[in-house]
Amino acid sequence: MSNFDIVKLIYGWRIEEARKRLEKKLENEIYITDLIYCPLKYYYQRMYKEIAIANAFDPITISGELIHLGIGKLLEDLLGKDNVRLEVEYEKEVVVDGATYIVKGRVDAVIGDWLIEIKSSRSDLSIPHQHHILQTRLYLWLTGLRKAILLYITQNRLSQYFIEDPVSDGEVADLIRSILSLKPAPRYSWECSYCPYAILCSNKKTAQS
Ligand code: SF4
């Protein structure tokens, strides 16, 4: 076997990044992505770290990541590096029922006063998805920016949606409460089919349940 191994390089990149991200996550930190999916996943990712890390090497996740990198590079080429900020991290402190939480998020791109959220999928069925709109509205709340483009790259359509209404502080507090109460789990009926923790979750919804 050759000692030049691109698969191994990509594997190392994905696994290392996922491991670092999980390790640096503090007890009271909540990522924007935690707020939009099933609240049980927030707990499982800490409890079953190895499953969370291995999921980073899922080929669908990797191709999505590569599309993000490609679009980012293209935007820099077309608009100039100085005009495009990629993978920008934001955080905000929130007090809910007397406890303090740090809500964190990494925005795909910020161009001037526009926030850009990039999504890739095989199909354009039912886009824009409810949870992606929620995620973009959460980023508007987190960043203080007031206009966003939710961009979809799919195999049959390239489409953009303009979103201008950030979530309210009350909506964020309710989403945090939903993590604390573990309800609803799952948040969406389709979630369990794509969930890495479905192999051990007693709340998993099967086709019959
Ligand atoms: S299997 Fe379903 S209920 Fe269980 S953690 Fe995953 S999405 Fe949530």
Side-chain angles (χ1 to χ4, degrees), residues 10 13-14 59-72:
I10 295 174
W13 161 58
R14 291 300 298 160
I60 296 174
T61 316
I62 293 174
S63 69
E65 192 64 32
L66 295 176
I67 287 173
H68 274 72
L69 288 171
I71 295 283

Side-chain angles (χ1 to χ4, degrees), residues 3-205:
N3 58 3
F4 180 54
D5 188 334
I6 293 180
V7 171
K8 198 171 173 196
L9 273 177
I10 295 174
Y11 177 83
W13 161 58
R14 291 300 298 160
I15 296 294
E16 195 51 23
E17 192 164 89
R19 195 183 54 74
K20 276 197 212 139
R21 205 164 150 77
L22 262 183
E23 272 174 8
K24 71 171 192 188
K25 193 170 186 176
L26 302 175
E27 274 306 310
N28 67 339
E29 277 183 1
I30 298 176
Y31 293 166
I32 293 291
T33 43
D34 296 323
L35 294 175
I36 63 167
Y37 292 117
C38 170
L40 265 179
K41 289 181 183 169
Y42 178 77
Y43 290 94
Y44 285 156
Q45 68 180 255
R46 291 169 193 265
M47 229 182 293
Y48 304 110
K49 282 198 174 90
E50 293 79 6
I51 296 180
I53 292 169
N55 190 48
F57 194 65
D58 173 68
I60 296 174
T61 316
I62 293 174
S63 69
E65 192 64 32
L66 295 176
I67 287 173
H68 274 72
L69 288 171
I71 295 283
K73 171 82 173 63
L74 180 69
L75 290 172
E76 282 183 340
D77 287 352
L78 294 174
L79 301 171
K81 256 191 170 176
D82 293 344
N83 300 316
V84 180
R85 292 193 296 145
L86 299 174
E87 305 278 326
V88 196
E89 297 201 352
Y90 291 86
E91 63 179 63
K92 206 165 172 173
E93 218 173 79
V94 180
V95 178
V96 178
D97 304 332
T100 304
Y101 301 91
I102 300 163
V103 178
K104 283 188 166 184
R106 191 161 57 180
V107 174
D108 288 333
V110 176
I111 301 172
D113 52 0
W114 283 95
L115 185 158
I116 317 293
E117 178 61 17
I118 303 160
K119 297 293 176 198
S120 60
S121 66
R122 197 183 311 172
S123 153
D124 65 345
L125 198 68
S126 309
I127 63 170
H129 296 295
Q130 206 187 327
H131 59 296
H132 291 158
I133 295 173
L134 176 62
Q135 184 179 10
T136 310
R137 293 180 61 227
L138 280 159
Y139 282 142
L140 284 175
W141 166 84
L142 182 68
T143 59
L145 293 167
R146 286 294 165 262
K147 41 190 192 173
I149 291 178
L150 173 56
L151 174 71
Y152 279 88
I153 316 281
T154 77
Q155 288 184 8
N156 36 19
R157 182 150 52 125
L158 220 89
S159 194
Q160 59 186 347
Y161 301 91
F162 296 92
I163 294 175
E164 298 187 347
D165 54 329
V167 292
S168 64
D169 291 346
E171 283 176 277
V172 175
D174 282 346
L175 287 168
I176 292 175
R177 285 191 192 103
S178 134
I179 285 189
L180 301 175
S181 67
L182 298 180
K183 284 181 189 152
R187 192 176 293 283
Y188 302 99
S189 55
W190 49 263
E191 266 192 291
C192 302
S193 317
Y194 303 93
C195 176
Y197 310 105
I199 49 174
L200 48 75
C201 177
S202 49
N203 271 39
K204 178 187 173 182
K205 295 277 175 275

